[in-house]
Amino acid sequence: MKLNVVLDNRKNILVVALVLLSFIGIGSLLPEDLTLQRWGAAFFAANALVAMALAFVLSTRLEILETIFRGLDRVYKVHRWAGMWAVFSIFMHWWLVPQSNAPRDDSSLMEIGSDTGEWATWLLLGLVVISFMRILPYHLWKWSHRLMGLVFFISVFHYLFAVRPFQLFSPAGIAMNLTSIVGFVAWWYYAFSKSTSKHHLAKVQNVKKENGVVSFEAKPIQGRPSWKAGQFAFISVLHHQKIGGEPHPFTIASSDHQGIPRFSVAGLGDYTKTLFDHLSNGDMLRLDLPYGRFKLNRQPSPQVWMGSGIGITPFVAWLQELNETNLSRSTSCPNVVLYYLVKNADAAIFAEELQQLTENLPTVSLKVIFSAEGRITPDRIADDLNGNVERAELYFCGNPEVRKTMQEGLEALGMPKNNTHYELFDFRGAI
């Protein structure tokens, strides 16, 4: 039992170890003859610069970052923690830095460099408050994030020209110089030069609106985008009088074999309700894809797929993928119990399609659950798995509260803690 606990928490242990090693690395580069106060001020200044550079690197959406963190939602989670650590470190540096009583020459670069540290502190605080409180619409919020580059520029200027306890080309100076360069390059890439290799212009077709859900296809104008079943795209509606042009993430509800990305969007928020009301055939879109690590697992171990409401869409794509590959070549098909959770029959707009997709997949068992008649329970899932919970894996998309309940209940019945798979789309609020 103790071994299982250690294994279940190995990722947290690794993260803590890496953070501690980074602190040790930063601290070891600083001069040894500093007083504790000056060492602390320099330590937190270096931490602030590193944390801001890291936040910019994580905001680039480079594919390698998704691979390392196993999903874009986790990348943005670390991004926000890096931002919070940068704020804390800047304030600690500002508080600890020794104050001089010597006469000032306000025109000198050294004095200007010293003053800019306080400017960066308050500007960063304001931008972070805006980011966390979500008080701006997306297009203005995005520009507030781009202004983080100004904070970084001011911070680097402060580092270069204020009094510092080490030389520019000492080990600590070289490390901070490289950090500054990496931070600037990452910020420029994020703000102005993000790669367009994932961008595709597309035209909306086959719009269908039913029970508060708008479904449509996005036919590419040129080229053919590729993706894996279960991944998602950022969609921007272009040149529309009533729909904003900011990008929003939506699951691709079709497999790559279909050739044309298909989407289904529930009108649950301001933007998605506007999309439901006003999107029509012929509208132009910009697709940014593919993203996500919520991918089909073909292993024969027992799997629970659970889609809550519109969260069924990645499983529709998975079923399409299984049908297409099983027809074209002999491939393994996982043993699956698929739950489609909806309020009632009227809300089950994917039920017929799911039934058709599972007809030729004997190892996939479809269960449509109406919450109006009784909610799904972990014990019911265990029964449907014939008690084989210890080897089961849970794949969930939809209401986070339902996912937490199912995850905790199945883990209590013996499912390993690392066997729950999901992705979050709340990139502005991922903590």
Side-chain angles (χ1 to χ4, degrees), residues 93-94 97 99 104-122 154-155 157-159 161-163:
H93 168 71
W94 178 60
V97 68
Q99 300 298 316
R104 286 170 53 98
D105 179 5
D106 291 338
S107 63
S108 70
L109 280 177
M110 184 175 294
E111 292 298 341
I112 295 173
S114 297
D115 291 340
T116 55
E118 187 171 348
W119 303 350
T121 300
W122 293 111
I154 295 173
S155 299
F157 185 88
H158 173 73
Y159 151 69
F161 294 105
V163 177

Short mmCIF file of all heavy atoms in Angstrom, two decimals, residues 93-94 97 99 104-122 154-155 157-159 161-163:
data_model
loop_
_atom_site.label_atom_id
_atom_site.label_comp_id
_atom_site.label_asym_id
_atom_site.label_seq_id
_atom_site.Cartn_x
_atom_site.Cartn_y
_atom_site.Cartn_z
N HIS A 93 11.86 40.94 -3.93
CA HIS A 93 13.07 41.67 -4.30
C HIS A 93 12.93 43.15 -3.93
O HIS A 93 13.85 43.74 -3.36
CB HIS A 93 13.31 41.53 -5.81
CG HIS A 93 14.35 42.47 -6.34
ND1 HIS A 93 15.69 42.33 -6.06
CD2 HIS A 93 14.24 43.59 -7.12
CE1 HIS A 93 16.37 43.30 -6.65
NE2 HIS A 93 15.52 44.09 -7.30
N TRP A 94 11.81 43.74 -4.27
CA TRP A 94 11.56 45.16 -3.98
C TRP A 94 11.63 45.42 -2.47
O TRP A 94 12.14 46.44 -2.02
CB TRP A 94 10.20 45.53 -4.55
CG TRP A 94 9.77 46.94 -4.29
CD1 TRP A 94 10.38 48.10 -4.68
CD2 TRP A 94 8.58 47.35 -3.60
NE1 TRP A 94 9.67 49.21 -4.27
CE2 TRP A 94 8.55 48.77 -3.59
CE3 TRP A 94 7.54 46.67 -2.98
CZ2 TRP A 94 7.53 49.50 -2.99
CZ3 TRP A 94 6.52 47.39 -2.38
CH2 TRP A 94 6.52 48.79 -2.40
N VAL A 97 15.60 44.67 -1.24
CA VAL A 97 16.75 45.38 -1.79
C VAL A 97 17.17 46.52 -0.85
O VAL A 97 16.34 47.30 -0.38
CB VAL A 97 16.42 45.93 -3.20
CG1 VAL A 97 15.37 47.03 -3.16
CG2 VAL A 97 17.69 46.39 -3.90
N GLN A 99 18.29 49.97 0.71
CA GLN A 99 18.10 51.36 0.30
C GLN A 99 19.36 52.16 0.62
O GLN A 99 19.94 52.04 1.69
CB GLN A 99 16.90 51.96 1.05
CG GLN A 99 15.60 51.24 0.78
CD GLN A 99 15.21 51.29 -0.69
OE1 GLN A 99 15.30 52.35 -1.32
NE2 GLN A 99 14.78 50.15 -1.22
N ARG A 104 21.70 61.20 -5.01
CA ARG A 104 21.23 60.61 -6.26
C ARG A 104 21.51 61.53 -7.44
O ARG A 104 21.42 62.75 -7.32
CB ARG A 104 19.72 60.35 -6.21
CG ARG A 104 19.31 59.19 -5.34
CD ARG A 104 17.78 59.18 -5.17
NE ARG A 104 17.08 59.24 -6.45
CZ ARG A 104 16.59 58.17 -7.08
NH1 ARG A 104 16.73 56.96 -6.53
NH2 ARG A 104 15.95 58.29 -8.22
N ASP A 105 21.86 60.92 -8.56
CA ASP A 105 21.91 61.62 -9.84
C ASP A 105 20.80 61.02 -10.69
O ASP A 105 20.97 59.99 -11.35
CB ASP A 105 23.27 61.42 -10.51
CG ASP A 105 23.33 62.11 -11.88
OD1 ASP A 105 22.35 62.81 -12.24
OD2 ASP A 105 24.34 61.92 -12.58
N ASP A 106 19.62 61.66 -10.68
CA ASP A 106 18.44 61.08 -11.30
C ASP A 106 18.58 60.92 -12.81
O ASP A 106 17.77 60.23 -13.44
CB ASP A 106 17.21 61.94 -11.01
CG ASP A 106 16.81 61.87 -9.54
OD1 ASP A 106 17.21 60.89 -8.89
OD2 ASP A 106 16.12 62.80 -9.06
N SER A 107 19.59 61.54 -13.42
CA SER A 107 19.76 61.42 -14.86
C SER A 107 20.64 60.24 -15.26
O SER A 107 20.76 59.92 -16.43
CB SER A 107 20.34 62.71 -15.43
OG SER A 107 21.64 62.94 -14.89
N SER A 108 21.29 59.61 -14.29
CA SER A 108 22.20 58.51 -14.62
C SER A 108 21.42 57.23 -14.92
O SER A 108 20.31 57.01 -14.40
CB SER A 108 23.17 58.25 -13.46
OG SER A 108 22.48 57.68 -12.36
N LEU A 109 22.00 56.40 -15.78
CA LEU A 109 21.36 55.13 -16.13
C LEU A 109 21.19 54.25 -14.90
O LEU A 109 20.22 53.50 -14.80
CB LEU A 109 22.18 54.40 -17.19
CG LEU A 109 22.01 54.87 -18.64
CD1 LEU A 109 22.95 54.10 -19.56
CD2 LEU A 109 20.57 54.68 -19.09
N MET A 110 22.14 54.33 -13.97
CA MET A 110 22.05 53.50 -12.78
C MET A 110 20.82 53.87 -11.94
O MET A 110 20.09 53.00 -11.46
CB MET A 110 23.33 53.63 -11.94
CG MET A 110 23.36 52.72 -10.72
SD MET A 110 24.95 52.79 -9.86
CE MET A 110 26.03 52.07 -11.10
N GLU A 111 20.57 55.17 -11.80
CA GLU A 111 19.42 55.61 -11.01
C GLU A 111 18.11 55.29 -11.75
O GLU A 111 17.12 54.86 -11.15
CB GLU A 111 19.51 57.10 -10.72
CG GLU A 111 20.63 57.48 -9.77
CD GLU A 111 20.48 56.84 -8.40
OE1 GLU A 111 19.35 56.42 -8.05
OE2 GLU A 111 21.48 56.76 -7.67
N ILE A 112 18.13 55.52 -13.08
CA ILE A 112 16.94 55.17 -13.85
C ILE A 112 16.69 53.67 -13.78
O ILE A 112 15.54 53.22 -13.62
CB ILE A 112 17.10 55.62 -15.32
CG1 ILE A 112 17.19 57.15 -15.40
CG2 ILE A 112 15.94 55.11 -16.17
CD1 ILE A 112 17.52 57.67 -16.79
N GLY A 113 17.75 52.89 -13.87
CA GLY A 113 17.61 51.44 -13.76
C GLY A 113 17.05 51.02 -12.42
O GLY A 113 16.23 50.10 -12.35
N SER A 114 17.46 51.71 -11.36
CA SER A 114 16.93 51.38 -10.04
C SER A 114 15.44 51.71 -9.95
O SER A 114 14.65 50.94 -9.41
CB SER A 114 17.70 52.15 -8.96
OG SER A 114 19.06 51.77 -8.94
N ASP A 115 15.05 52.86 -10.49
CA ASP A 115 13.64 53.26 -10.43
C ASP A 115 12.75 52.34 -11.24
O ASP A 115 11.58 52.09 -10.87
CB ASP A 115 13.49 54.69 -10.93
CG ASP A 115 14.11 55.72 -9.99
OD1 ASP A 115 14.31 55.36 -8.81
OD2 ASP A 115 14.39 56.84 -10.43
N THR A 116 13.25 51.81 -12.35
CA THR A 116 12.40 50.98 -13.20
C THR A 116 11.98 49.69 -12.50
O THR A 116 10.97 49.09 -12.87
CB THR A 116 13.13 50.61 -14.51
OG1 THR A 116 14.39 50.00 -14.19
CG2 THR A 116 13.34 51.83 -15.37
N GLY A 117 12.72 49.25 -11.50
CA GLY A 117 12.31 48.06 -10.76
C GLY A 117 10.96 48.26 -10.10
O GLY A 117 10.10 47.38 -10.12
N GLU A 118 10.75 49.46 -9.52
CA GLU A 118 9.45 49.74 -8.90
C GLU A 118 8.36 49.87 -9.95
O GLU A 118 7.23 49.42 -9.75
CB GLU A 118 9.54 51.02 -8.07
CG GLU A 118 8.28 51.29 -7.25
CD GLU A 118 8.47 52.44 -6.28
OE1 GLU A 118 9.63 52.88 -6.08
OE2 GLU A 118 7.45 52.89 -5.71
N TRP A 119 8.69 50.43 -11.11
CA TRP A 119 7.70 50.53 -12.18
C TRP A 119 7.23 49.13 -12.60
O TRP A 119 6.04 48.88 -12.76
CB TRP A 119 8.30 51.23 -13.41
CG TRP A 119 8.85 52.59 -13.17
CD1 TRP A 119 8.70 53.36 -12.04
CD2 TRP A 119 9.66 53.35 -14.06
NE1 TRP A 119 9.37 54.56 -12.19
CE2 TRP A 119 9.96 54.58 -13.42
CE3 TRP A 119 10.16 53.13 -15.34
CZ2 TRP A 119 10.74 55.57 -14.03
CZ3 TRP A 119 10.94 54.11 -15.95
CH2 TRP A 119 11.23 55.31 -15.30
N ALA A 120 8.19 48.23 -12.77
CA ALA A 120 7.86 46.86 -13.19
C ALA A 120 6.98 46.18 -12.15
O ALA A 120 6.05 45.43 -12.50
CB ALA A 120 9.13 46.05 -13.41
N THR A 121 7.27 46.45 -10.87
CA THR A 121 6.49 45.81 -9.80
C THR A 121 5.01 46.17 -9.91
O THR A 121 4.14 45.29 -9.90
CB THR A 121 7.03 46.25 -8.42
OG1 THR A 121 8.40 45.86 -8.32
CG2 THR A 121 6.23 45.60 -7.31
N TRP A 122 4.71 47.44 -10.01
CA TRP A 122 3.30 47.86 -10.01
C TRP A 122 2.62 47.56 -11.34
O TRP A 122 1.43 47.21 -11.36
CB TRP A 122 3.22 49.35 -9.69
CG TRP A 122 3.65 49.63 -8.28
CD1 TRP A 122 4.78 50.28 -7.89
CD2 TRP A 122 3.00 49.20 -7.09
NE1 TRP A 122 4.88 50.31 -6.51
CE2 TRP A 122 3.79 49.65 -5.99
CE3 TRP A 122 1.84 48.49 -6.82
CZ2 TRP A 122 3.45 49.41 -4.67
CZ3 TRP A 122 1.48 48.25 -5.49
CH2 TRP A 122 2.28 48.70 -4.44
N ILE A 154 11.31 46.15 -18.94
CA ILE A 154 11.67 47.03 -17.83
C ILE A 154 12.50 46.27 -16.80
O ILE A 154 13.49 46.80 -16.25
CB ILE A 154 10.41 47.63 -17.18
CG1 ILE A 154 9.69 48.55 -18.16
CG2 ILE A 154 10.76 48.39 -15.90
CD1 ILE A 154 8.35 49.05 -17.65
N SER A 155 12.11 45.01 -16.54
CA SER A 155 12.85 44.20 -15.57
C SER A 155 14.27 43.94 -16.04
O SER A 155 15.23 43.99 -15.25
CB SER A 155 12.11 42.87 -15.33
OG SER A 155 10.82 43.09 -14.82
N PHE A 157 15.98 45.83 -18.17
CA PHE A 157 16.66 47.13 -18.07
C PHE A 157 17.12 47.38 -16.64
O PHE A 157 18.25 47.82 -16.40
CB PHE A 157 15.70 48.24 -18.53
CG PHE A 157 16.34 49.61 -18.57
CD1 PHE A 157 16.99 50.04 -19.71
CD2 PHE A 157 16.29 50.46 -17.46
CE1 PHE A 157 17.59 51.31 -19.75
CE2 PHE A 157 16.88 51.70 -17.49
CZ PHE A 157 17.53 52.13 -18.64
N HIS A 158 16.25 47.07 -15.68
CA HIS A 158 16.59 47.21 -14.26
C HIS A 158 17.78 46.32 -13.92
O HIS A 158 18.72 46.76 -13.22
CB HIS A 158 15.37 46.84 -13.42
CG HIS A 158 15.64 46.78 -11.95
ND1 HIS A 158 15.82 47.90 -11.18
CD2 HIS A 158 15.75 45.71 -11.11
CE1 HIS A 158 16.03 47.54 -9.92
NE2 HIS A 158 15.99 46.21 -9.85
N TYR A 159 17.75 45.08 -14.42
CA TYR A 159 18.85 44.15 -14.15
C TYR A 159 20.17 44.65 -14.73
O TYR A 159 21.23 44.57 -14.10
CB TYR A 159 18.50 42.77 -14.71
CG TYR A 159 19.67 41.94 -15.13
CD1 TYR A 159 20.55 41.41 -14.19
CD2 TYR A 159 19.93 41.68 -16.48
CE1 TYR A 159 21.66 40.66 -14.58
CE2 TYR A 159 21.02 40.92 -16.88
CZ TYR A 159 21.88 40.42 -15.92
OH TYR A 159 22.96 39.68 -16.30
N PHE A 161 21.16 47.82 -15.54
CA PHE A 161 21.71 49.12 -15.17
C PHE A 161 21.63 49.45 -13.68
O PHE A 161 22.30 50.38 -13.22
CB PHE A 161 21.02 50.22 -15.97
CG PHE A 161 21.32 50.13 -17.44
CD1 PHE A 161 20.36 49.66 -18.32
CD2 PHE A 161 22.56 50.49 -17.94
CE1 PHE A 161 20.63 49.56 -19.67
CE2 PHE A 161 22.84 50.40 -19.28
CZ PHE A 161 21.88 49.93 -20.16
N ALA A 162 20.81 48.75 -12.92
CA ALA A 162 20.79 48.98 -11.47
C ALA A 162 22.01 48.32 -10.83
O ALA A 162 22.70 47.50 -11.45
CB ALA A 162 19.49 48.43 -10.88
N VAL A 163 22.28 48.70 -9.59
CA VAL A 163 23.39 48.07 -8.86
C VAL A 163 23.06 46.59 -8.66
O VAL A 163 21.98 46.23 -8.21
CB VAL A 163 23.59 48.76 -7.50
CG1 VAL A 163 24.69 48.04 -6.72
CG2 VAL A 163 23.93 50.23 -7.69
#
